[in-house]
Amino acid sequence: MLDLEQSAGYRRIFNKGIEKGIEKGIEKGMEKGRRETLRENVLRLLYRKFKKLPAPYVEKIRTLDEYALGMILDNIFEINSLSELEEYL
């Protein structure tokens, strides 16, 4: 009698699950990489614009989601003071 784990159907399903898991891991890694790149670009541009950023601002920016970071990036030329930046934080 065949052991369930040795059956072709089980191996096919198992391998499919492994493939899906790998794909999910790659997608999550790429998403995290995009978010980190966006965050670092926002910080770099804000440092260039304002020369110094208070530590609480930097910490808050590091916690923002992609949407909020994108809003800052999209409006970087309209943000002319740290108090205006606060509106995005």
Side-chain angles (χ1 to χ4, degrees):
M1 187 165 162
L2 262 180
D3 185 7
L4 176 63
E5 292 178 5
Q6 293 175 347
S7 73
Y10 176 85
R11 284 195 311 261
R12 210 172 28 251
I13 292 169
F14 180 80
N15 289 337
K16 192 71 158 176
I18 295 291
E19 287 174 20
K20 289 271 187 193
I22 290 170
E23 287 173 12
K24 267 292 201 214
I26 290 170
E27 286 175 20
K28 283 188 174 193
M30 289 174 65
E31 181 180 315
K32 184 177 179 182
R34 281 192 306 269
R35 191 172 43 251
E36 283 298 316
T37 300
L38 181 58
R39 184 173 294 122
E40 293 308 313
N41 285 335
V42 165
L43 285 169
R44 191 173 73 229
L45 290 172
L46 288 171
Y47 276 118
R48 285 201 57 160
K49 185 166 186 129
F50 297 115
K51 307 299 181 227
K52 291 185 179 182
L53 286 175
Y57 285 56
V58 174
E59 291 307 312
K60 181 63 178 170
I61 289 167
R62 291 192 185 283
T63 66
L64 295 176
D65 61 15
E66 283 185 60
Y67 177 79
L69 292 167
M71 291 299 294
I72 293 171
L73 197 57
D74 288 345
N75 294 292
I76 195 81
F77 296 115
E78 285 78 35
I79 301 171
N80 294 311
S81 67
L82 290 175
S83 61
E84 288 179 8
L85 175 60
E86 283 182 30
E87 295 174 22
Y88 295 89
L89 305 179

